[in-house]
Amino acid sequence: MNTLSLRLTRRLRRFLLLAAALIIPAAAGAAPAQAAPASESEMSLYTRIAAVNVCIARGAKVEFDKAASIAGETIAQLIMGQHNGQIKQVGTKALTIEELRRGSVNSAVIGAVELCPKEVPPDVVKKVNDALKQQGGK
């Protein structure tokens, strides 16, 4: 197993542990506390999880668009379920599931470009890097 595969496998294990920690209380019927908007650190974690998902899927030869869509949907559903669609950095308005999907897919793609650029189509890498340069991000 090469180094990238080993790193991705370890990240997948950590992701699965996190997913279990989020799912088990819900399945056990635990009453959720009043949902708070997703913090900047939570959004950073969710973006990283989505990026790792894209990288793992691409390593398994899943088509890029499908990998990004699945990763984005996962994060959108997480934000909707855990934070009622609210993100602190965005403001007090809850986002719709469609708004969350668009933002989550974009975040997953940007994260994948940073984490595993060889698994992202070259034209997508270029578009992301150009957009980041325009925003002063790189």
Side-chain angles (χ1 to χ4, degrees), residues 8-133:
L8 291 176
T9 300
R10 287 181 184 147
R11 288 185 177 141
L12 176 59
R13 284 186 190 135
R14 281 186 252 153
F15 169 74
L16 292 174
L17 288 173
L18 174 64
L22 294 172
I23 292 169
I24 290 171
Q34 179 67 11
S39 68
E40 188 173 346
S41 65
E42 287 169 320
M43 290 306 298
S44 179
L45 172 64
Y46 300 160
T47 297
R48 192 77 171 167
I49 291 168
V52 169
N53 278 331
V54 172
C55 295
I56 290 169
R58 293 292 292 153
K61 307 299 182 215
V62 174
E63 176 189 329
F64 178 76
D65 289 342
K66 184 180 240 178
S69 293
I70 292 169
E73 182 68 23
T74 301
I75 300 310
Q77 292 294 331
L78 177 62
I79 295 167
M80 185 60 78
Q82 294 295 310
H83 305 284
N84 291 329
Q86 294 181 303
I87 300 171
K88 188 175 183 179
Q89 294 164 287
V90 175
T92 57
K93 176 189 168 282
L95 300 173
T96 67
I97 192 65
E98 287 302 319
E99 290 169 323
L100 289 170
R101 285 178 179 137
R102 281 192 302 272
S104 295
V105 168
N106 289 341
S107 293
V109 170
I110 291 167
V113 166
E114 294 172 357
L115 188 62
C116 58
K118 291 181 181 178
E119 297 293 344
V120 179
D123 62 314
V124 175
V125 172
K126 182 178 178 354
K127 286 178 188 175
V128 167
N129 287 333
D130 289 348
L132 290 174
K133 284 178 188 171

Side-chain angles (χ1 to χ4, degrees), residues 1-7:
M1 187 176 277
N2 66 32
T3 306
L4 177 59
S5 295
L6 187 57
R7 285 194 336 234

